[in-house]
Amino acid sequence: MDRSRIRNFSIIAHIDHGKSTLADRLLETTGALTDREKTNQFLDKLDLERERGITIKAQAVRLKYRADDGKDYILNLIDTPGHVDFSYEVSRSLAACEGGLLVVDASQGVEAQTLANVYLAIDQNLEVFPVLNKIDLPGAEPARIKEEIEEIIGLDASDAVEASAKEGIGIHEILEAIVAKVPAPAGDADAPLKALIFDSWYDSYQGVIMLVRIFDGTLKKGEKIHLMASGRSYEVLKIGAFTPHPVEMPEMAAGEVGFIIAGIKVLQDAKVGDTITHLNRCADKPLAGFQEVKPMVYSGLYPIDSGDYDALRDAMEKLRLNDASFSFEPENSLALGFGFRCGFLGLLHMEIIQERLEREFNMELITTAPTVRYRVITTKGEELVVDSANKLPDVQYIDRILEPFILASVHVPNDYVGGVLALCEEKRGIQREIKYLTSNRVMVIYELPLNEIVLDFYDRLKTVSRGYASLDYEFLDYRPSDLVRLNIMVNGEVVDALSLIVHRDKSQLRGRELVSKMKEFIPRQQYEVAVQAAIGNKVVARANVKALRKDVTAKCYGGDITRKRKLLEKQKEGKKRMKQVGNVELPQEAFLAILKVK
Ligand code: GDP
Ligand code: MG
């Protein structure tokens, strides 16, 4: 194939600015979709994604386009995930492209996610050009938004296409701009093979499917390949491209984008970012940028009905097949029984997995509070990685605890800056910078402990900004912090499912909150129940659930023994759904209610 007629590009946009709608229009205009498929957003595969309006899996679609110059071009549209949790996948998808189409909602303007992805694209030397979408909206202000793009991002927006993906306006102009502005790929089709895996997933019939961009060399069906990071070798069974329907091809050469199927059984062997080369003519070094993606957020997942344990494990195994960044291992809790400790890329990833387990597998779940990974240096000088409060050693064995920090960029209209600053301070943030992007838009940059973000930062941010603030973050480093384990005790017994790792300064407040919630949910018993929050032996908050005044059996005047027995039996039934914590019986609902309170 003539490389000068190939254009590899992706669409960069803040969530809801119209990336998927535009992608569908491009497919439709170039004749890639049938009428039935035009229904809605073909590129968003999963129903869940469609509902949430986010794209989780990157995809590549090959479009044929006859341009106004009369020549035929191959346009490879590489779709990127739209959320900060998946930023490594985004960076690899961008690495597969020469150009980026920046879609900005003409009624909303530039947002934090737009900026983060634009900078990623510019860092990778992509040719980025803006398109203003939603010009059909009465609130659209293309002239003002163009200025904003020039001012904030520094891109020339003077000849930006004004489009409406919904109404089909400006689509032809966008296709022409792609041909004119995106550089054709470079590369040497005769050099040793170097192909970048920018997405991979598990298909139950074909095994792992890899989406690749060939940078150098030529790959043919039947050849032996070697994956440089995983160190494994395979034979190529199928090569092809999605148009969006899969179409097989005999070979693929430098500059091209497509899929490879090579009988790979587990996703972990074909990771995003790995370089594929020939087994017998190996590239001397892999493409830059491979990273092992590690979970950032952990939580316990328990079946509400303990009989569902095996089904839950099966369901999680199925999900893990298709998600190399989701991890789990068995864990048990006195309060919640048998369950799993799970690792996620971020909070959204966590919510997606939970929702899929509940919806696709009909699981009823209870989730413990999310936590991050701490590094604990013991007094013996050993380093432990701790992803759950219950794994934290006793205080006397701890020399210091390090916690992960992130760099957060909050993009917010002027009016709400005060609220955002107060929130960041409350969350132990360290201010880096406040940038006035325009007279009305501010970028607030803070260093923040990830642990504070995973609790309720995002929801609070939306509240203090009436929904206008947007957040983007990246991992910074690990720092020593004064962290402690906060235990909740019921009549002196620790309720493990409620233990938390918190900053000492916050421990009393969180302790009080938890204790008062517990008090609300624990029914009165025959005797007084003390609920305490403690750090080690030191109680920081407490509440009492007063005893019931009367013994239920007192009503029976000590005479009618059968009646008394019946009453006791009734009580026993009620006890089945109770959890024994020390000498106190707690209804399972109490835990559920507390853990579900956000
Ligand atoms: P994405 O999150 O960037 O993929 O955005 P979507 O393509 O899912 O679009 C988000 C919402 O904006 C959907 O409700 C679309 O119907 C709507 N939308 C997309 N493009 C346009 C447009 O040009 N005009 C109007 N009025 N709405 C649009
Ligand atoms: Mg989308």
Side-chain angles (χ1 to χ4, degrees):
M1 181 183 302
D2 180 358
R3 257 203 325 270
S4 69
R5 303 280 182 80
I6 301 177
R7 299 291 180 272
N8 299 317
F9 72 103
S10 80
I11 305 178
I12 299 164
H14 187 77
I15 285 174
D16 280 348
H17 282 200
K19 186 175 74 164
S20 300
T21 312
L22 177 60
D24 277 358
R25 281 288 171 192
L26 297 178
L27 264 65
E28 194 184 304
T29 311
T30 55
L33 288 190
T34 62
D35 280 340
R36 193 176 56 81
E37 290 160 350
K38 282 177 195 165
T39 44
N40 242 323
Q41 305 200 340
F42 187 84
L43 286 189
D44 288 355
K45 257 200 299 195
L46 303 164
D47 277 356
L48 186 66
E49 291 179 12
R50 192 171 299 178
E51 262 172 50
R52 284 172 170 255
I54 49 164
T55 309
I56 300 159
K57 282 260 119 198
Q59 280 227 26
V61 182
R62 193 167 79 158
L63 308 172
K64 276 205 193 109
Y65 176 62
R66 176 160 296 171
D68 289 354
D69 63 8
K71 294 177 185 156
D72 288 326
Y73 290 85
I74 294 287
L75 311 180
N76 290 310
L77 163 56
I78 295 172
D79 197 19
T80 56
H83 191 274
V84 36
D85 285 4
F86 308 101
S87 59
Y88 181 65
E89 286 185 31
V90 175
S91 84
R92 293 309 84 200
S93 297
L94 292 176
C97 301
E98 277 75 30
L101 205 146
L102 169 64
V103 173
V104 180
D105 183 329
S107 68
Q108 300 282 325
V110 176
E111 304 276 356
Q113 191 68 44
T114 317
L115 284 178
N117 285 348
V118 166
Y119 292 140
L120 262 179
I122 293 173
D123 280 351
Q124 311 227 20
N125 295 317
L126 264 58
E127 190 62 44
V128 178
F129 59 97
V131 166
L132 299 183
N133 190 33
K134 307 201 188 181
I135 53 152
D136 60 293
L137 288 178
E141 300 176 85
R144 186 177 71 77
I145 304 300
K146 277 186 199 177
E147 262 175 48
E148 198 177 279
I149 292 171
E150 298 196 336
E151 230 176 290
I152 300 175
I153 309 176
L155 284 177
D156 177 11
S158 56
D159 58 351
V161 178
E162 295 182 15
S164 165
K166 194 171 164 194
E167 308 281 326
I169 302 165
I171 308 302
H172 177 75
E173 289 78 358
I174 292 173
L175 288 163
E176 286 297 315
I178 293 166
V179 170
K181 293 187 175 171
V182 178
D188 179 355
D190 298 319
L193 180 69
K194 273 187 190 178
L196 170 73
I197 303 178
F198 62 87
D199 193 11
S200 61
W201 66 90
Y202 183 81
D203 181 285
S204 39
Y205 297 105
Q206 313 273 358
V208 174
I209 300 179
M210 299 172 282
L211 282 181
V212 303
R213 155 71 195 271
I214 311 236
F215 280 89
D216 275 320
T218 304
L219 179 66
K220 297 190 175 81
K221 189 171 162 171
E223 288 180 334
K224 292 240 158 57
I225 52 169
H226 180 70
L227 275 63
M228 296 179 84
S230 77
R232 297 185 173 257
S233 304
Y234 304 91
E235 184 185 318
V236 175
L237 305 176
K238 279 180 192 167
I239 295 179
F242 292 107
T243 66
H245 309 281
V247 174
E248 283 195 55
M249 310 188 294
E251 62 171 51
M252 214 173 6
E256 291 190 75
V257 169
F259 66 80
I260 299 176
I261 294 168
I264 303 177
K265 301 267 176 343
V266 282
L267 199 55
Q268 281 74 7
D269 288 341
K271 286 191 177 140
V272 170
D274 203 346
T275 301
I276 300 175
T277 189
H278 277 125
L279 182 61
N280 55 8
R281 191 180 171 220
C282 220
D284 54 357
K285 61 178 198 305
L287 295 159
F290 178 73
Q291 263 177 42
E292 198 77 50
V293 182
K294 296 213 178 69
M296 298 270 271
V297 176
Y298 291 80
S299 85
L301 247 60
Y302 292 81
I304 287 185
D305 179 347
S306 58
D308 285 341
Y309 178 81
D310 289 331
L312 176 59
R313 190 193 48 225
D314 291 348
M316 292 203 296
E317 261 159 20
K318 284 211 181 88
L319 286 187
R320 185 165 60 181
L321 273 181
N322 225 334
D323 186 343
S325 42
F326 164 55
S327 67
F328 63 90
E329 58 182 48
E331 166 181 87
N332 62 68
S333 149
L334 291 175
L336 301 174
F338 290 95
F340 299 91
R341 190 90 201 146
C342 303
F344 310 94
L345 291 175
L347 286 182
L348 179 79
H349 187 213
M350 179 174 107
E351 272 176 45
I352 288 171
I353 297 272
Q354 279 168 19
E355 220 167 300
R356 291 189 62 184
L357 287 169
E358 288 178 352
R359 249 203 256 184
E360 292 168 32
F361 299 93
N362 289 319
M363 299 269 90
E364 275 192 279
L365 298 174
I366 180 71
T367 315
T368 62
T371 172
V372 300
R373 260 187 168 199
Y374 298 94
R375 284 165 40 184
V376 177
I377 315 292
T378 65
T379 44
K380 286 187 190 151
E382 290 163 330
E383 183 174 324
L384 308 172
V385 175
V386 170
D387 59 25
S388 141
N390 298 309
K391 293 183 191 163
L392 199 65
D394 285 341
V395 217
Q396 65 266 33
Y397 302 113
I398 298 175
D399 179 54
R400 59 189 191 281
I401 305 178
L402 302 136
E403 68 173 326
F405 266 69
I406 55 152
L407 188 66
S409 309
V410 178
H411 196 253
V412 63
N414 223 349
D415 296 350
Y416 308 107
V417 174
V420 172
L421 294 182
L423 176 64
C424 290
E425 293 296 327
E426 181 198 319
K427 296 295 186 181
R428 300 192 279 127
I430 301 162
Q431 197 183 97
R432 271 254 189 116
E433 210 182 339
I434 301 179
K435 272 195 266 192
Y436 281 81
L437 300 173
T438 66
S439 54
N440 186 35
R441 289 186 160 260
V442 185
M443 175 83 102
V444 176
I445 302 179
Y446 262 83
E447 295 171 10
L448 282 156
L450 182 60
N451 138 325
E452 298 282 347
I453 300 286
V454 300
L455 281 174
D456 60 352
F457 185 82
Y458 194 65
D459 291 343
R460 295 273 310 277
L461 186 65
K462 287 288 176 192
T463 310
V464 299
S465 68
R466 298 235 186 114
Y468 284 110
S470 48
L471 166 74
D472 188 53
Y473 66 80
E474 61 186 271
F475 173 75
L476 268 183
D477 52 16
Y478 271 86
R479 298 180 189 175
S481 274
D482 191 7
L483 296 162
V484 291
R485 173 160 84 204
L486 182 70
N487 286 328
I488 300 299
M489 300 189 299
V490 173
N491 276 1
E493 294 278 333
V494 172
V495 185
D496 59 355
L498 299 178
S499 294
L500 283 177
I501 296 176
V502 288
H503 195 270
R504 193 182 298 276
D505 295 349
K506 297 276 178 79
S507 57
Q508 196 157 11
L509 189 70
R510 299 250 355 142
R512 256 189 251 132
E513 277 171 12
L514 276 169
V515 162
S516 71
K517 259 181 222 158
M518 277 298 268
K519 187 184 169 190
E520 216 176 288
F521 289 111
I522 296 175
R524 290 168 74 174
Q525 322 240 339
Q526 307 294 346
Y527 36 78
E528 189 168 273
V529 177
V531 186
Q532 296 166 310
I535 299 167
N537 296 326
K538 196 179 140 234
V539 173
V540 296
R542 69 172 295 147
N544 290 330
V545 181
K546 290 222 171 65
L548 285 170
R549 217 164 277 148
K550 278 186 229 151
D551 184 336
V552 268
T553 53
K555 282 192 202 126
C556 306
Y557 312 110
D560 186 349
I561 187 74
T562 52
R563 194 162 162 217
K564 190 168 177 177
R565 194 176 293 137
K566 257 188 203 149
L567 244 153
L568 287 171
E569 230 132 4
K570 228 180 183 172
Q571 279 189 330
K572 224 186 197 164
E573 250 173 59
K575 275 177 196 167
K576 276 188 196 148
R577 273 175 289 112
M578 300 293 222
K579 297 275 180 185
Q580 185 85 29
V581 176
N583 65 348
V584 184
E585 300 206 308
L586 298 180
Q588 174 152 310
E589 288 74 49
F591 298 111
L592 306 197
I594 290 155
L595 290 167
K596 278 197 168 143
V597 172
K598 277 275 156 73

